[in-house]
Amino acid sequence: MSVNKLILGDNLEILKTIEPDSVDLIYLDPPFFSNRNYEVIWGDEGEVRSFQDRWAGGVDHYIAWLKERVTEMHRILKPTGSIFLHCDWHANAYIRVDILDKIFGYDNFRGEIIWQRTNAHNDAKKKLAVISDTIWYYSKSNKYTYNPIYSELTDKYKNDFYRFEDKRGQFRLGDLTAPNTRNGESGSPWKDINPTNKGRSWAVPNNIVEQIAGKEAVKQLTVQQKLDLLLANDYIVFSKNNIPSVKRYLDNSNGTMLGDVWTDIVNVQGASKERIGYPTQKPEALLERIILMASNEGDTVLDPFVGGGTTIAVAEKLNRKWIGIDQSVQAVKVTEFRLQNQLGLLAISSPYTVLLHKYDYDKLRNENAFEFESWIVRQFGGVPNAKQRGDMGLDGKAADGAPIQVKRSDNIGRNVIDNFLSAVQRSDKKLFDKNIAAKLPIGYIIAFSFGKGAVEEVARLSNKENIIIKLITVESIIPIAVKPAITVSINELSIDAKRVRKIEFIAAGQSENGIEFYSWDFAYNASNGFKPQVLLDKEGKQIYSFKTGTHNIAVKVVDNNGLENIETIRLKINGAVEREAKNPA
Ligand SMILES: C[S@@+](CC[C@H](N)C(=O)[O-])C[C@H]1O[C@@H](n2cnc3c(N)ncnc32)[C@H](O)[C@@H]1O
């Protein structure tokens, strides 16, 4: 199974199943303790209920709810791991004092990041505008992964600070000394200038020395020789009072070192490219900064409130492993489609697993047979055979040691029972006889369903010959459901002077569990996979414009179990709109 996982469920239950000390970085953006209507993001039944419960009990209730989850997060973080908890003014003080200081310890506080998410609008004329969120940053111990982050220089900063220019480019003047006197070379005079007279010592920029004379020079030259080298190469200027400064060029700048106030990351706006359509989606730039700062490539990043999947999408781009959890089917499926969109655009794209509450009957029926057999044997608590061949049709052993056969089909007939019986005897006659004597099952057959002939033969064997064979349906091992059905109708709405046609698409999904949402790909290419331009459409209605030519469109419907179905449409537009519904390219 892949390391990367998207899991549907209450994060408390799922966090409990994760190994201790196994995750490098956790970012969480839980529902804030604010207006509950605003917080009902997805509108799922389950979510509405849990929000209402939480708010009914006030802030103490909210803190208790969050605290048990953060306790689990602390347990699964590696000793070098960090947590970033995104919240706002409603509960940030309680979260710090009652949760983070208690669980992570006051000494492991690493920062209070103030993220300016918006500008003050008109209502700031009447009262002070709240325009920031808080992101609490704690580590599990005092040895933690930290990569300094630089923010890009604004034009204003460049012009204000890099005020000088020479043939090498724009530069600013930097200090060549640091506070406090020191002995040795750093405190010895150069060109009759003694820094210790002013309570300071030399601070030579080794990166420039290295640029001029290489790495070895940094190790071998004395402080005074390095200063000579800088002067000879026109890196030092003297002020009127004979104070030397070093030229620091804009081209060599990494930007400004970043502190805990982040004002340069714009929130997801109506027209942003990354917008997927719900109010609390966080910008990718925010997550990129956090992930780069507190993890390295190959590390595992967890978001237990994954929402629209920003953390996961960025972790994947930055070559981290990831786990995302959400209790909302919509969140998990939108995140999955968002990832699909991104896969293929990236040089590296890693496999992942989506764990829902129910399995799609059709998908299981059509899966690779050997993989299905091994998987279902494990789900049954047994051990699958390592190899596919030479097993006499037996696929593994149950927890009691009796053989298992898996049939990836429905309506299993009598002949399967006969063959199984002889295979079990041939594979281990001693065990077979022992189980009969002890009135224990001689083996198990797992299938989607069993026909009358098979059921009757199993009953006869048990009654007349004391041979017990257990018939196990897949559904009794794992929950399965039938995926939703989907139909799509189209209406031509208009045609303009350039023969561009506006076409309305209406998708209708059917499922006994109810439909969650639709996603649309208007330039579908089966070999690239489904790459929706519209990720989250609750209504199933879209209007799209097409020029003359052939167009492939795909729409996916997702039901309340998270099961999905796809309908593909091929439109030929040439004078009239012609639809071929089946077998698109
Ligand atoms: C504020 S949103 C997260 C948004 C996310 N940071 C993004 O950028 O898309 C909070 C999410 O937490 C989920 N959630 C709330 N309670 C949960 C729980 N107990 N277990 C798992 N997910 C939960 C909600 O379904 C919602 O999707």
Side-chain angles (χ1 to χ4, degrees):
M1 204 205 264
S2 54
V3 183
N4 299 330
K5 282 187 210 110
L6 261 178
I7 308 170
L8 173 67
D10 184 334
N11 48 28
L12 182 60
E13 301 315 313
I14 290 151
L15 288 166
K16 284 182 184 161
T17 67
I18 299 180
E19 290 280 297
D21 301 337
S22 60
V23 169
D24 296 279
L25 165 63
I26 299 177
Y27 167 83
L28 66 149
D29 175 20
F32 293 176
F33 185 71
S34 49
N35 181 300
R36 77 173 166 225
N37 293 328
Y38 169 69
E39 283 303 331
V40 178
I41 300 149
W42 302 101
D44 295 16
E45 274 300 304
E47 197 188 353
V48 175
R49 232 176 296 117
S50 69
F51 277 111
Q52 284 171 347
D53 287 353
R54 210 171 309 140
W55 264 260
V59 74
D60 291 346
H61 198 162
Y62 174 77
I63 291 298
W65 172 87
L66 192 56
K67 192 170 181 178
E68 25 171 13
R69 286 164 174 78
V70 175
T71 304
E72 289 301 320
M73 293 176 212
H74 181 262
R75 181 184 63 79
I76 65 174
L77 265 182
K78 286 187 189 162
T80 48
S82 307
I83 189 167
F84 291 77
L85 199 162
H86 196 136
C87 50
D88 73 0
W89 67 271
H90 291 87
N92 60 2
Y94 298 89
I95 290 175
R96 177 173 183 180
V97 176
D98 293 339
I99 300 183
L100 293 164
D101 280 352
K102 292 223 165 83
I103 297 172
F104 280 79
Y106 183 85
D107 291 343
N108 288 321
F109 165 86
R110 300 284 159 239
E112 173 183 3
I113 296 165
I114 301 297
W115 172 47
Q116 183 188 334
R117 57 179 159 71
T118 181
N119 289 317
H121 297 299
N122 255 346
D123 50 348
K125 286 181 188 157
K126 292 187 219 129
K127 59 179 180 33
L128 188 67
V130 178
I131 57 169
S132 64
D133 285 353
T134 306
I135 304 171
W136 294 118
Y137 167 27
Y138 279 69
S139 58
K140 191 162 173 179
S141 72
N142 61 2
K143 285 207 177 70
Y144 56 96
T145 302
Y146 172 71
N147 304 312
I149 300 285
Y150 299 84
S151 68
E152 253 189 46
L153 301 179
T154 59
D155 286 343
K156 179 167 172 6
Y157 187 95
K158 286 180 196 165
N159 292 334
D160 287 355
F161 289 91
Y162 290 84
R163 282 184 291 132
F164 309 102
E165 200 165 349
D166 65 11
K167 57 182 183 318
R168 277 197 287 248
Q170 223 175 319
F171 67 89
R172 67 179 173 84
L173 292 178
D175 209 335
L176 268 174
T177 62
N180 298 330
T181 53
R182 289 171 66 180
N183 295 328
E185 291 168 15
S186 301
S188 304
W190 173 73
K191 303 263 176 235
D192 295 335
I193 305 165
N194 190 343
T196 56
N197 293 345
K198 291 201 166 133
R200 298 179 72 85
S201 49
W202 294 116
V204 180
N206 277 329
N207 58 331
I208 306 180
V209 173
E210 186 180 328
Q211 248 177 34
I212 302 169
K215 262 196 180 121
E216 283 306 300
V218 174
K219 287 191 218 147
Q220 285 164 8
L221 299 182
T222 64
V223 167
Q224 282 66 23
Q225 285 169 330
K226 287 177 186 173
L227 289 165
D228 286 338
L229 182 81
L230 292 176
L231 184 64
N233 285 278
D234 190 23
Y235 273 88
I236 291 183
V237 286
F238 291 91
S239 71
K240 277 189 227 144
N241 307 330
N242 205 30
I243 297 175
S245 300
V246 62
K247 291 180 178 179
R248 290 196 177 270
Y249 288 89
L250 180 57
D251 283 353
N252 292 338
S253 160
N254 286 323
T256 40
M257 287 282 258
L258 196 76
D260 56 7
V261 180
W262 297 358
T263 56
D264 56 338
I265 295 178
V266 187
N267 208 352
V268 180
Q269 313 281 333
S272 352
K273 258 186 151 180
E274 62 185 87
R275 192 181 121 91
I276 57 173
Y278 78 95
T280 63
Q281 180 188 353
K282 299 298 177 288
E284 292 201 1
L286 183 71
L287 270 304
E288 186 181 292
R289 184 167 288 174
I290 290 170
I291 292 173
L292 287 173
M293 185 163 101
S295 71
N296 296 314
E297 284 202 6
D299 282 358
T300 301
V301 176
L302 165 76
D303 186 340
F305 295 89
V306 83
T310 313
T311 310
I312 298 315
V314 176
E316 173 70 31
K317 284 183 192 166
L318 296 176
N319 204 15
R320 269 63 170 173
K321 297 184 204 115
W322 51 261
I323 304 169
I325 307 169
D326 206 291
Q327 68 179 14
S328 149
V329 161
Q330 280 190 40
V332 169
K333 292 302 286 185
V334 164
T335 299
E336 183 187 347
F337 294 166
R338 180 174 181 175
L339 279 169
Q340 284 174 8
N341 247 344
Q342 173 172 304
L343 298 180
L345 302 176
L346 301 171
I348 325 143
S349 53
S350 12
Y352 60 89
T353 312
V354 183
L355 297 170
L356 302 168
H357 295 324
K358 299 232 173 163
Y359 293 89
D360 180 347
Y361 166 82
D362 280 335
K363 222 171 164 185
L364 293 178
R365 283 282 315 249
N366 297 316
E367 208 162 291
N368 170 298
F370 183 59
E371 271 173 27
F372 174 73
E373 286 157 11
S374 310
W375 178 77
I376 198 74
V377 166
R378 268 195 300 268
Q379 299 298 313
F380 186 57
V383 180
N385 289 349
K387 285 187 295 170
Q388 203 169 4
R389 295 189 183 281
D391 55 10
M392 291 184 274
L394 302 176
D395 300 301
K397 284 194 187 323
D400 60 9
I404 304 177
Q405 184 169 69
V406 180
K407 289 284 170 195
R408 202 179 38 130
S409 42
D410 268 300
N411 217 11
I412 294 305
R414 152 94 199 249
N415 61 325
V416 171
I417 310 297
D418 297 343
N419 294 340
F420 180 65
L421 189 57
S422 74
V424 172
Q425 292 187 63
R426 275 187 292 133
S427 82
D428 190 341
K429 181 76 167 76
K430 244 166 120 186
L431 177 68
F432 177 80
D433 290 338
K434 202 173 119 200
N435 281 334
I436 293 180
K439 295 203 165 93
L440 291 172
I442 58 116
Y444 301 82
I445 303 176
I446 300 175
F448 283 90
S449 64
F450 296 91
K452 202 165 156 234
V455 174
E456 283 174 359
E457 176 59 5
V458 165
R460 192 194 66 75
L461 284 169
S462 168
N463 295 335
K464 299 267 168 355
E465 301 184 35
N466 271 339
I467 298 175
I468 303 171
I469 295 175
K470 290 275 182 202
L471 301 183
I472 312 286
T473 59
V474 171
E475 195 166 10
S476 67
I477 305 174
I478 47 146
I480 46 182
V482 175
K483 67 178 178 226
I486 177 167
T487 51
V488 184
S489 56
I490 61 169
N491 300 310
E492 193 182 337
L493 298 181
S494 63
I495 176 164
D496 69 13
K498 290 186 175 154
R499 307 194 69 73
V500 173
R501 287 163 203 264
K502 248 190 198 162
I503 297 177
E504 178 186 54
F505 296 81
I506 302 171
Q510 280 129 32
S511 162
E512 50 187 39
N513 308 298
I515 297 301
E516 284 288 336
F517 72 102
Y518 302 85
S519 288
W520 299 82
D521 181 351
F522 290 103
Y524 180 62
N525 177 333
S527 47
N528 289 346
F530 182 67
K531 300 205 176 290
Q533 294 85 47
V534 179
L535 268 170
L536 182 60
D537 168 12
K538 298 280 269 181
E539 241 190 301
K541 222 186 237 181
Q542 292 292 318
I543 295 175
Y544 210 79
S545 298
F546 295 94
K547 289 186 187 154
T548 300
T550 303
H551 304 275
N552 291 309
I553 296 109
V555 50
K556 274 196 181 184
V557 58
V558 175
D559 75 6
N560 224 299
N561 287 321
L563 299 190
E564 58 173 83
N565 204 348
I566 187 167
E567 171 75 330
T568 52
I569 301 158
R570 191 177 167 91
L571 286 186
K572 274 189 187 163
I573 304 182
N574 187 10
V577 178
E578 206 186 299
R579 170 180 177 177
E580 284 174 27
K582 297 288 160 232
N583 306 324

